[in-house]
Amino acid sequence: MALTPHVYWAQRHDDIYLRVELTDAQNISVKVHENVLRFRAQGRGAKGQNEYEFSLEFLLPVKPEISYKSTQRQVNITLQKEQRGWWEKLTVHERKPVFLAPDFDRWLDESDAEMEIQERVRLKWLHVLTSFLGFSWIFINMTVRLFIFGQDFLYDTFHSISKVMFFCQILASVEVLNAAFGVVRTRVLPSLIQVVGRNFILFIIFGSLEEMQNKPVVFFVFYLWSSIEIIRYPFYLLSYCDIEWKTLTWLRYTVWIPLYPLGVLAEAVAVIQAIPMFDETKLFSIPLPKPIGTSVSFSYILYIYLVLMVLGLYINFCHLYKLRMRRIHTKKKAT
């Protein structure tokens, strides 16, 4: 017969947090059906090694998607509320289940949670605004210089723009951390692919090869990157203020269709142009034992990277396409 574990809960305006006191939990099953969460697992709880289970019928609707993580001492479960708001209690029952208690490690009252949200929004807003200003400066600067100097600027882009681009791309790494720690609701993998891919091109291909810094491909890579970001970041800024500008929303979910593949194509051209330079300079070559008497050229890694670029393009394109279709579906549902 299954036993009932100790369960602790806390909430924010958007989420419900459950902590199940169960050591070395195995065969974990967590499901939500008709607004009832059902948990079952094997582990060591308050009454020793056994099978434990419980169910909770929530006060208000929650989304069916569940995120849970098992540690050596407990199982942490996160659920999203269907509608943002503050619940007076967790379940529909008048009396609290005997196995359920507040999680004082995460407990906040409504005003404290609101302050936490406001602080988080301020930090996100500052990060996005700084990134937008950086990429806007890059885009405007490159456009003006192209009109003034013409084709000559194509060969001088790196020396004129690289410092600001370095700053913007380092700042973009924060987006991966935000996704990983749940500061923003987005998947980690697409953000990681984009940030790592761009930094590889910027720091390894352009930054380490002086000959590549004078290539026109630098202009096209930087221009395409900034063209995407001067649309994406204003969209985020307005969304944090609960403002929707239909033109900007359309651009956000449409312009990436041609720009993103073009950006990947420009990056691929840069990698292909860099391969003979790495072969010639032996830069980043991997030395082999003396009996073999040779080294493995870094260009072999670049060939592998070209294949990974195609895979990354597919993953990110699918992610962005799903976002676009979800947006269209939500708009139709609203009308």
Side-chain angles (χ1 to χ4, degrees):
M1 180 178 177
L3 303 176
T4 304
H6 292 305
V7 181
Y8 302 89
W9 79 284
Q11 67 170 316
R12 298 296 185 268
H13 286 84
D14 296 304
D15 301 308
I16 294 293
Y17 304 113
L18 299 176
R19 174 165 57 89
V20 185
E21 288 293 306
L22 206 57
T23 304
D24 297 326
Q26 298 178 347
N27 302 324
I28 301 171
S29 174
V30 188
K31 299 179 181 179
V32 171
H33 180 64
E34 296 181 350
N35 213 44
V36 177
L37 180 138
R38 302 185 187 280
F39 175 92
R40 178 182 288 268
Q42 294 177 341
R44 181 173 296 277
K47 298 181 180 180
Q49 185 71 27
N50 209 317
E51 186 172 51
Y52 289 82
E53 67 177 6
F54 70 89
S55 62
L56 291 170
E57 184 176 359
F58 295 112
L59 177 67
L60 295 171
V62 296
K63 296 181 180 179
E65 297 82 9
I66 303 172
S67 172
Y68 72 88
K69 182 179 181 182
S70 176
T71 67
Q72 187 177 1
R73 299 181 58 185
Q74 61 199 26
V75 180
N76 298 308
I77 305 171
T78 303
L79 303 102
Q80 295 181 22
K81 298 177 180 178
E82 192 71 46
Q83 292 184 343
R84 187 177 185 275
W86 199 257
W87 293 5
E88 296 180 358
K89 55 183 180 177
L90 182 63
T91 67
V92 297
H93 307 293
E94 291 186 7
R95 299 186 62 181
K96 178 179 67 66
V98 294
F99 62 87
L100 186 66
D103 185 352
F104 290 109
D105 291 338
R106 305 192 70 166
W107 193 267
L108 292 177
D109 59 29
E110 186 174 4
S111 59
D112 290 337
E114 191 65 42
M115 291 178 60
E116 181 184 67
I117 292 174
Q118 292 175 359
E119 181 64 24
R120 186 177 295 181
V121 169
R122 280 195 292 268
L123 292 175
K124 290 191 296 184
W125 204 87
L126 179 61
H127 165 253
V128 172
L129 178 62
T130 305
S131 299
F132 169 64
L133 292 176
F135 279 108
S136 296
W137 182 90
I138 292 172
F139 182 84
I140 295 171
N141 193 297
M142 292 179 68
T143 303
V144 172
R145 284 175 176 268
L146 183 63
F147 277 105
I148 295 176
F149 300 108
Q151 294 184 358
D152 292 339
F153 177 63
L154 299 181
Y155 301 92
D156 191 47
T157 301
F158 184 86
H159 303 288
S160 304
I161 305 297
S162 61
K163 289 184 179 179
V164 180
M165 183 61 78
F166 280 134
F167 171 77
C168 289
Q169 283 307 125
I170 292 173
L171 192 61
S173 303
V174 177
E175 295 182 26
V176 180
L177 298 177
N178 287 340
F181 291 105
V183 177
V184 295
R185 297 186 184 280
T186 186
R187 293 171 57 192
V188 177
L189 185 58
S191 300
L192 181 64
I193 290 174
Q194 177 172 302
V195 171
V196 172
R198 285 187 178 184
N199 286 344
F200 182 86
I201 298 296
L202 181 61
F203 290 95
I204 303 300
I205 303 299
F206 295 154
S208 63
L209 292 172
E210 291 188 11
E211 190 175 347
M212 281 297 301
Q213 297 171 6
N214 300 318
K215 296 286 186 180
V217 70
V218 177
F219 172 86
F220 294 103
V221 170
F222 284 7
Y223 206 71
L224 287 166
W225 286 356
S226 59
S227 299
I228 294 172
E229 304 304 358
I230 61 173
I231 296 173
R232 185 168 70 98
Y233 284 121
F235 174 81
Y236 289 160
L237 285 173
L238 292 182
S239 67
Y240 294 155
C241 301
D242 293 325
I243 299 173
E244 181 179 2
W245 181 18
K246 292 183 178 181
T247 303
L248 184 61
T249 301
W250 182 85
L251 289 172
R252 166 71 179 99
Y253 290 102
T254 305
V255 169
W256 64 266
I257 297 175
L259 290 184
Y260 187 72
L262 286 174
V264 175
L265 178 62
E267 294 172 21
V269 170
V271 172
I272 293 172
Q273 291 182 351
I275 287 175
M277 300 179 192
F278 280 107
D279 284 334
E280 181 180 352
T281 61
K282 304 295 183 183
L283 185 64
F284 301 138
S285 294
I286 303 173
L288 296 178
K290 289 185 178 180
I292 301 177
T294 185
S295 61
V296 177
S297 175
F298 186 70
S299 61
Y300 291 110
I301 297 177
L302 296 182
Y303 286 121
I304 298 173
Y305 181 74
L306 286 172
V307 177
L308 294 177
M309 285 181 68
V310 177
L311 180 60
L313 172 63
Y314 174 77
I315 293 174
N316 263 338
F317 201 88
C318 289
H319 173 66
L320 292 170
Y321 180 77
K322 287 180 180 178
L323 289 178
R324 186 173 188 269
M325 295 308 296
R326 188 184 306 165
R327 182 74 186 183
I328 294 173
H329 177 74
T330 304
K331 188 176 180 180
K332 288 182 178 179
K333 190 176 180 180
T335 56

